[in-house]
Amino acid sequence: MTPPPCRTAQAALRSRHLAMLALGGVIGAGLFVGTGAGLAAAGPAVLVSYLLAAALALAIMRMLGELAAALPESGSFSVYARRALGPWAGFTTGWLYTWVTAVAIAVEALAGAAILHTWWPSVPSWAFTLAAMTIFTMVNMADVRTFGEAEFWFASLKVLAVLAFIALGAAALLGLLPGTHSPGLAHLAGDGGFAPHGLSGIVTALLGVVFAFGGMEVIGMAAAESHDPGRSIRTAVRTAIWRIALFYLGSVLVLVLLLPWRSARPGESPYVAALVRLGIPHADVITQAVILVALLSALNANLYGTSRMLHSLAERGEAPRALARRTGRRVPARAVAAASAVGFAAVVPEALAPGAALPLLAKAMGAAMLFMWLALACSHLVLRRSLERAGRLVLRTRGFPATTRAVIGAIAVLMVLMALSSATRPQLLTSGALSAALALTGAHLHRRHRRNPGRRTTSPAPSAASREPYPPARQHSVPAGD
């Protein structure tokens, strides 16, 4: 079982760490670079795409926060899926998350190394990749407070960069920035209208921008190592929700108002063009620096999340038992080493064929995030009422069960849209095949354990159908509510 959450500030993540951890996972290269593709596909109506994606992602975060505050587990949503849907679901979501985030670690290390290589071309990119992996593995090998502080400052730098951009853009739009002409609302509807490509453009952009909100899942795993999970998660989720909405929607609105949508190019950051428009010198270098910080922050957060998921799987007997061991500082060091393995392995192909590994790894992640979100929403639908009866709710999702059902429906619609699009269909099929293979493996292992109970390495998770599936509620220091 997962050890009880730490009770001392020296050994635990605090609410300020958790809030920045959620921001650090979400505000990344998807915002700073991916916005260009969305703007080119939908025009100014990309605002609608971001609004819909944000509404879905933030509803997921709220549900995850509710479950994490009530049941702080290092396995987070995989544990909830096991309780609600069965051992096969916990196995599937746990290993799906492990695969996706382990690949993401390598992608982020390679992408960050590519930026550093453009600044110092005499140093090979593989050396930067190796350095990044070594530094962040060491950070995660230290106690959890060290990780939390590192992620807090990384996320703070990103937040300050986004706030500075919004402030500069707002000043320019109001005519307060010397030497810059305000376009007013001309770019909002002056070139083909607000939605020049109609509904299809909004849908195309939505399929791209929704993945920019991935990464917030790590906040659920951090609950198990937080000080006073009830108060910390409740504060962190409420704070992160409005901040993410402000930073994403605010910065995208500034982009839409500052730039003609036809100037956007997929794969290029529109923030560079906007900073040039504002007369900021070295706009490309500034944007690259912000993207580098975003990538390293995401690498740090994903390494933490992957190691905790591996540790949880090992505790349940669904991963090698050696990964369940902790150091004297309560760090699952072997799980951290295993989580970093893909990133270190990426150094070899990068040394042999610079630049070749990154696109291949990026395609390997696919649409797995939607399958994990779907499992989380279904778990919330099943567990919510029993948690309420047990008196464990500290944070509540408004409009339950209608909100949860709407989220499940929205994810299903997104999957259908991805299946209908030739550009996104391969991602959906790849992730679907991987999920199905993991589900079959998990079901087979569970049946084998039932036939040979003596070989079981861990006790099964309590059934969600049980009247008392949860341990007695701790006395939380905050009242239930939203």
Side-chain angles (χ1 to χ4, degrees):
M1 297 296 293
T2 300
C6 301
R7 291 298 178 185
T8 63
Q10 289 74 23
L13 292 168
R14 308 192 76 175
S15 59
R16 72 180 188 122
H17 294 144
L18 293 178
M20 283 301 184
L21 188 56
L23 290 173
V26 174
I27 300 177
L31 172 64
F32 298 116
V33 179
T35 308
L39 189 56
V46 72
L47 283 167
V48 177
S49 302
Y50 267 104
L51 184 62
L52 293 173
L56 174 62
L58 298 181
I60 290 287
M61 178 181 283
R62 184 82 177 193
M63 288 186 282
L64 177 59
E66 180 180 310
L67 294 175
L71 297 169
E73 297 273 359
S74 63
S76 186
F77 53 87
S78 77
V79 173
Y80 312 145
R82 182 184 177 96
R83 286 179 179 271
L85 308 175
W88 66 270
F91 180 92
T92 302
T93 54
W95 277 108
L96 193 62
Y97 177 84
T98 298
W99 163 249
V100 172
T101 51
V103 172
I105 290 167
V107 168
E108 288 145 4
L110 290 169
I115 293 175
L116 291 170
H117 180 64
T118 62
W119 295 348
W120 293 285
S122 61
V123 180
S125 58
W126 66 263
F128 286 122
T129 305
L130 181 61
M133 289 304 308
T134 301
I135 291 171
F136 286 102
T137 300
M138 291 174 63
V139 168
N140 278 266
M141 286 287 188
D143 60 54
V144 69
R145 183 71 180 275
T146 302
F147 158 78
E149 285 296 325
E151 191 57 29
F152 175 83
W153 290 109
F154 269 123
S156 296
L157 288 173
K158 288 191 291 187
V159 168
L160 289 175
V162 174
L163 285 177
F165 175 77
I166 294 174
L168 283 172
L173 291 168
L174 293 173
L176 303 178
L177 198 64
T180 303
H181 171 71
S182 172
L185 300 178
H187 294 153
L188 193 62
D191 186 6
F194 177 71
H197 296 150
L199 181 61
S200 63
I202 295 175
V203 170
T204 300
L206 176 62
L207 294 179
V209 303
V210 70
F211 295 103
F213 289 90
M216 63 186 179
E217 301 86 1
V218 72
I219 194 174
M221 281 164 276
E225 297 182 272
S226 64
H227 178 68
D228 189 357
R231 178 183 295 276
S232 298
I233 291 292
R234 183 175 186 261
T235 302
V237 168
R238 295 181 65 183
T239 303
I241 283 177
W242 73 260
R243 286 179 179 175
I244 290 171
L246 169 65
F247 298 151
Y248 259 89
L249 300 179
S251 62
V252 173
L253 175 61
V254 169
L255 283 175
V256 166
L257 293 175
L258 278 179
L259 300 175
W261 67 270
R262 293 186 187 275
S263 67
R265 298 288 183 273
E268 297 180 6
S269 175
Y271 287 83
V272 175
L275 291 176
V276 170
R277 171 80 171 74
L278 296 175
I280 305 300
H282 309 295
D284 56 340
V285 176
I286 293 173
T287 305
Q288 283 183 330
V290 174
I291 293 173
L292 177 62
V293 170
L295 289 168
L296 296 180
S297 171
L299 191 163
N300 191 37
N302 280 327
L303 187 51
Y304 172 86
T306 309
S307 64
R308 269 49 180 187
M309 184 62 77
L310 279 172
H311 176 262
S312 177
L313 288 167
E315 283 190 319
R316 290 178 266 153
E318 296 171 348
R321 286 291 296 171
L323 301 181
R325 296 180 183 176
R326 289 178 180 263
T327 66
R329 294 184 176 184
R330 307 301 302 161
V331 175
R334 295 187 180 185
V336 172
S340 64
V342 176
F344 278 111
V347 173
V348 177
E350 184 66 13
L352 297 175
L358 181 57
L360 291 176
L361 286 170
K363 292 178 182 178
M365 292 186 287
M369 183 189 74
L370 289 181
F371 287 91
M372 291 185 288
W373 283 6
L374 182 61
L376 173 60
C378 291
S379 301
H380 183 261
L381 189 64
V382 172
L383 297 177
R384 163 64 186 264
R385 289 192 176 93
S386 52
L387 283 170
E388 191 166 20
R389 287 195 299 270
R392 299 189 63 86
L393 288 185
V394 179
L395 183 69
R396 297 175 187 270
T397 301
R398 294 179 180 177
F400 178 84
T403 301
T404 307
R405 289 172 178 164
V407 167
I408 293 172
I411 295 173
V413 168
L414 278 176
M415 289 182 170
V416 171
L417 293 174
M418 290 188 71
L420 296 176
S421 170
S422 59
T424 56
R425 190 181 303 123
Q427 299 178 39
L428 183 69
L429 293 177
T430 301
S431 296
L434 177 59
S435 299
L438 288 171
L440 290 173
T441 302
H444 170 71
L445 291 176
H446 178 60
R447 285 196 300 270
R448 189 176 68 179
H449 286 160
R450 284 194 302 179
R451 289 195 300 265
N452 303 283
R455 296 180 62 184
R456 190 188 303 275
T457 54
T458 58
S459 58
S463 168
S466 171
R467 281 190 170 274
E468 298 294 336
Y470 313 110
R474 293 190 297 272
Q475 294 298 316
H476 298 290
S477 55
V478 291
D482 56 11

